[in-house]
Amino acid sequence: DDVRGLDQVTEHVVNLVKNHPAMLAYYVSDENSLEEYPAVRALRERISRIDPWHPTVTLTCVENLFESCAKTGDILSWDYYPVRTSPPARQTFDYKGFRRTIDVLIPHWFTAQAMQWLRDRDKGARSPELPELRAMCYAALIYNSKGVMFYSYPYVLALMDISPDEGQKLWANVCCVAKELNCLSDWVLSLETAPAVKIISQTPGAGTSEIVARAFRAKGKSLVLIVSNGPGLVSATLQL
C-alpha cells in the first residue's frame, strides 16, 4: 500500500482494526525509557484522534515511572516477574508495586509473569507455579486492577518446543488462572459498595509472608479475596 513512516503506518493500522469485533485496546509502549515518553504520548494522541472508542495501554516495569508513564495512555500496565530460580519453598513477592498503582488515578491492568527467565535457564530458572501465578493476579485485583494480561517470552508455543513439559505446565497454569479471573469479573468490575475487610491477626512466625484481603460485592452477594505472598501455609483472622 506504499504506507511509510510512523504516522502513516499508525493511521493505516488503526483504520484496519478499529471496527473489528475482537478489538479491545491499543498497546502503545513496552518498558520505554522516560526520554521516549513524549513520542509515546504523541502516538497515543494520534491513535485516539482516529479511534476515540478504544483505550490505549501503556506499560512500565519501573515503579518510580508510574506517574510519568500514566500520561502516555488511558490504562497503565505494570509488568512484574519476580519468579527466577528460587524454589517454591523460598519464593515470595512484594506488594509495593501493587499498592503504588492505586496512586496513579487511572485504570490499571496487571501484566503477570507467564514465563521463565531464559537468561537464567542454566541456573534453574522456572516459570511460576499455579499457586504463585494465582496469588500475584489476585493481589492485583485486591489493589484495584481491573484487568490482567499474561506475558511470555518466548511465547508459549515456542517454549513448548524448547521445553515441552515446562511449556505444557505453564499453559495449563495460565488457562486455569484466566478462567478463575473470568469467573470473578462480575465482582471485580462491580460498582457496588463492598464491606471493609480488616485483618485482625495472622499466623505468628509466618516469616516474611503477609496476608492481604479485600471484599467485592455484585448482584447483592459479597466475595472476599485473601492472598499471601508466600511461601508456605499461613492463617489469619479477618473481620468484615
Side-chain angles (χ1 to χ4, degrees):
D1 295 322
D2 196 33
V3 179
R4 302 174 184 273
L6 178 60
D7 292 346
Q8 289 190 34
V9 169
T10 298
E11 293 180 8
H12 181 73
V13 171
V14 171
N15 282 316
L16 281 177
V17 302
K18 66 180 183 180
N19 294 319
H20 195 284
M23 181 62 193
L24 178 63
Y26 298 97
Y27 189 73
V28 296
S29 75
D30 188 294
E31 299 184 354
N32 290 69
S33 66
L34 182 63
E35 293 75 18
E36 294 173 311
Y37 282 169
V40 175
R41 185 167 183 172
L43 174 64
R44 174 261 184 109
E45 291 172 350
R46 179 173 292 275
I47 291 171
S48 297
R49 282 196 297 270
I50 305 167
D51 180 7
W53 305 109
H54 291 97
T56 54
V57 181
T58 185
L59 177 143
T60 182
C61 61
V62 182
E63 297 165 27
N64 290 337
L65 293 181
F66 281 178
E67 288 77 11
S68 298
C69 186
K71 297 175 183 178
T72 68
D74 300 301
I75 298 167
L76 173 71
S77 187
W78 174 52
D79 57 338
Y80 181 44
Y81 311 143
V83 177
R84 289 181 178 263
T85 59
S86 294
R90 295 206 306 268
Q91 181 66 49
T92 186
F93 66 91
D94 199 333
Y95 295 122
K96 183 175 65 173
F98 295 109
R99 290 174 174 139
R100 288 196 64 171
T101 61
I102 297 176
D103 300 328
V104 179
L105 302 181
I106 69 168
H108 170 244
W109 290 358
F110 177 54
T111 296
Q113 178 182 356
M115 64 169 200
Q116 57 181 209
W117 287 87
L118 289 185
R119 64 189 176 196
D120 293 333
R121 188 174 179 81
D122 60 340
K123 302 175 185 177
R126 64 181 181 87
S127 58
E129 297 292 332
L130 178 57
E132 296 169 327
L133 185 60
R134 177 187 289 122
M136 288 186 283
C137 292
Y138 282 18
L141 302 185
I142 288 172
Y143 288 105
N144 212 36
S145 178
K146 298 302 182 185
V148 175
M149 302 186 290
F150 298 91
Y151 179 80
S152 178
Y153 179 81
Y155 62 96
V156 175
L157 291 179
L159 180 58
M160 289 180 181
D161 291 334
I162 298 171
S163 178
D165 291 342
E166 180 73 13
Q168 293 285 353
K169 183 182 76 171
L170 174 59
W171 181 241
N173 290 346
V174 169
C175 290
C176 180
V177 173
K179 290 177 181 177
E180 293 177 9
L181 295 173
N182 188 54
C183 291
L184 295 173
S185 60
D186 284 348
W187 283 272
V188 173
L189 301 178
S190 174
L191 298 178
E192 294 184 39
T193 301
V197 177
K198 183 177 181 181
I199 298 175
I200 303 300
S201 64
Q202 78 170 55
T203 308
T208 59
S209 298
E210 179 185 357
I211 291 175
V212 295
R214 178 182 173 182
F216 300 83
R217 189 165 180 81
K219 301 177 182 179
K221 297 181 179 180
S222 295
L223 176 145
V224 179
L225 288 182
I226 307 169
V227 167
S228 167
N229 58 352
L233 297 175
V234 294
S235 63
T237 303
L238 280 66
Q239 177 182 324
L240 274 73

